[in-house]
Amino acid sequence: RYADATVDCVAVLAGVVDELHTRAEEKHVALNAPTPPSRIPTITADPDKVRHIMYNLMDNAIRYTPAGGHVTATLAARDRGVTCTIHDNGVGFLAEDGARLFEKFYRGTNVRSSHVDGTGLGLFMAKKFVERHGGRIWAKSAGIGKGSEFGFWLPPRVIVPAAPAAS
């Protein structure tokens, strides 16, 4: 189910950073979310889903960034909506993995033997939530060991269609 409410993405991001701060500290990864340089508009969306998307992308960035690394989350106003981008200097990924990272149960070739607690569902669900809100999600990396960028854009007003009736 999707709720329809006004979402302050700056507040949601601050809450997620606060939630993940201890985990990042324990791993010796610097986590920050600088104040946006310009006003970020509120959007109409499901606040729990927006939080879930941000949490998943930041949690993954922390998980796949080695000690001494950094994760930075930024917000920007774009096309009347909001863009959230998570940059890290972690393990990165190959171009062929990037095309598949949002597939159900897919895990990058360079991380399959590590972090065995991952299911390959987090990015899949984040993509579903973003798309259901009429937005876009992406992943970029310059290659193995070169960090990554994960981000999403949500439009200013999301009208989520009702789920199809069960027959």
Side-chain angles (χ1 to χ4, degrees):
R1 266 199 134 124
Y2 285 74
D4 187 26
T6 299
V7 178
D8 177 351
C9 290
V10 174
V12 174
L13 180 61
V16 171
V17 168
D18 189 52
E19 279 183 75
L20 290 170
H21 182 75
T22 300
R23 171 181 247 180
E25 278 186 346
E26 288 170 352
K27 194 157 180 229
H28 304 287
V29 170
L31 175 62
N32 60 59
T35 303
S38 61
R39 185 184 166 281
I40 302 300
T42 58
I43 60 173
T44 302
D46 184 316
D48 291 335
K49 302 299 189 272
V50 173
R51 183 203 154 284
H52 177 95
I53 298 161
M54 289 181 183
Y55 186 96
N56 181 270
L57 296 182
M58 278 196 282
D59 183 53
N60 279 353
I62 294 166
R63 179 177 298 178
Y64 295 110
T65 297
H70 64 269
V71 173
T72 303
T74 58
L75 291 172
R78 184 163 291 128
D79 299 327
R80 296 181 35 234
V82 175
T83 296
C84 177
T85 309
I86 315 297
H87 287 94
D88 66 62
N89 64 341
V91 299
F93 54 87
L94 299 170
E96 54 266 27
D97 284 327
R100 299 191 61 204
L101 287 174
F102 297 101
E103 291 178 10
K104 194 174 195 177
F105 301 120
Y106 186 79
R107 298 187 69 224
T109 54
N110 63 321
V111 297
R112 288 185 189 150
S113 62
S114 65
H115 307 290
V116 292
D117 59 332
T119 63
L121 286 174
L123 291 176
F124 172 78
M125 292 304 299
K127 180 182 180 196
K128 292 296 179 194
F129 292 159
V130 168
E131 289 177 345
R132 186 83 188 269
H133 280 85
R136 297 181 299 275
I137 192 166
W138 63 88
K140 299 177 186 176
S141 177
I144 301 296
K146 297 185 178 180
S148 60
E149 172 190 305
F150 283 79
F152 65 95
W153 172 83
L154 293 176
R157 172 134 180 95
V158 175
I159 301 171
V160 179
S167 48

